[in-house]
Amino acid sequence: MEQLPLFLNLRGRTVVLVGEGEAADAKARLIARAGGRIVPAWEEGAAIAFVALDDDAEARAAAQALRAHGLLVNVVDRPDLCDFTTPAIVDRAPVTIAIGTGGASAGLAKAVRQRIEALLPPRLGALASALHAARDAMKARWPAAADRRRVIDAALASGAVLDPLDNDAADKLEIWLAGDAPTRPSRLETIHLTSPDPDELTLRAARLLGEADHIYHPAAIPAAILDRARADAVRHVADAPPSAPPPGLSVWLAS
């Protein structure tokens, strides 16, 4: 990754915004949407800062002064002066999708955002809120975290009862929770790697890595390949695939 994506809670926090004009107004709207309090200069307790000045020297000086106070600074339209950049945003609160290009092309980020906007249903946020409200009920029904994760993954799969692309999925959660929700059986899939380059993974291989609960692999498998697996998948260094895989989806990476 060129940058580390983060979601920052600004509600009630102070944000410095230096500058005036259309660019500054756009940042002010973004800060306000996130619940931040805007000030025109550094204050004790400020979280981050934005600089929207046309003059290069003034923008650089303002950024350096704010950075000296320990703030992370975004300088509008000058990615080389930025500690962070602001992404294009798809807002289905509480679901937020951010598309960043590291400052390479705001136009490209916008085009990707528009494609995703058209794909996601308006009530995706309602599904997220319903899942949040049902956490205690889900923990009571499936006390083991691994079982709970597998059941939820199965329900959220494409075409399943809680498919995120179904605009009515939130209305089906109580019925799903009260019904017979089977877990996925134990399954072992093998990925035959032909290259150490993760960009040469097949679509099937990339999908399996993104869904796997357990990854089994020889020690020599490149880290770049393993980075394509889901972050919470359990990694196992092994010389051979397991004879009895654990519940859920296990993947054996064969070099």
Side-chain angles (χ1 to χ4, degrees):
M1 296 187 296
E2 295 291 331
Q3 295 179 313
L4 175 66
L6 297 170
F7 289 91
L8 182 62
N9 184 2
L10 288 181
R11 189 159 302 280
R13 302 182 69 183
T14 300
V15 178
V16 179
L17 175 58
V18 178
E20 298 179 346
E22 292 183 3
D25 290 344
K27 296 303 182 186
R29 289 191 293 270
L30 184 65
I31 297 165
R33 283 175 63 188
R37 168 181 170 264
I38 300 172
V39 297
W42 178 79
E43 283 188 9
E44 188 71 37
I48 56 174
F50 293 88
V51 174
L53 296 172
D54 292 332
D55 183 83
D56 282 341
E58 290 181 4
R60 187 180 297 273
Q64 289 175 343
L66 291 165
R67 205 170 279 123
H69 288 291
L71 296 182
L72 296 177
V73 182
N74 171 276
V75 184
V76 178
D77 292 334
R78 295 176 178 86
D80 57 313
L81 298 181
C82 290
D83 298 310
F84 68 95
T85 56
T86 52
I89 295 172
V90 180
D91 188 357
R92 297 289 190 274
V95 177
T96 305
I97 298 171
I99 303 99
T101 63
S105 173
L108 175 59
K110 176 184 175 182
V112 174
R113 175 185 63 78
Q114 290 172 334
R115 299 285 184 90
I116 296 175
E117 283 275 13
L119 176 66
L120 298 180
R123 297 187 64 225
L124 177 61
L127 175 60
S129 296
L131 286 166
H132 177 77
R135 286 190 305 174
D136 290 343
M138 289 188 288
K139 288 180 180 179
R141 179 160 185 190
W142 300 288
D147 291 341
R148 190 165 59 249
R149 184 182 67 245
R150 284 190 289 272
V151 170
I152 295 172
D153 285 351
L156 293 170
S158 177
V161 63
L162 301 182
D163 184 343
L165 298 189
D166 178 0
N167 197 49
D168 297 323
D171 301 330
K172 302 173 183 177
L173 190 138
E174 288 189 12
I175 297 173
W176 164 75
L177 190 57
D180 183 15
T183 60
R184 292 183 297 174
S186 297
R187 180 163 63 104
L188 176 66
E189 297 282 352
T190 298
I191 296 176
H192 295 280
L193 298 176
T194 59
S195 166
D197 185 352
D199 290 335
E200 294 188 15
L201 289 168
T202 65
L203 290 176
R204 174 180 178 275
R207 177 178 58 80
L208 289 172
L209 283 171
E211 296 177 356
D213 299 292
H214 294 263
I215 307 291
Y216 293 85
H217 63 91
I221 294 296
I225 297 289
L226 296 173
D227 286 343
R228 295 297 177 95
R230 57 188 286 181
D232 58 349
V234 181
R235 273 72 164 172
H236 307 267
V237 178
D239 296 323
S243 56
L249 173 60
S250 295
V251 168
W252 166 244
L253 295 177
S255 56

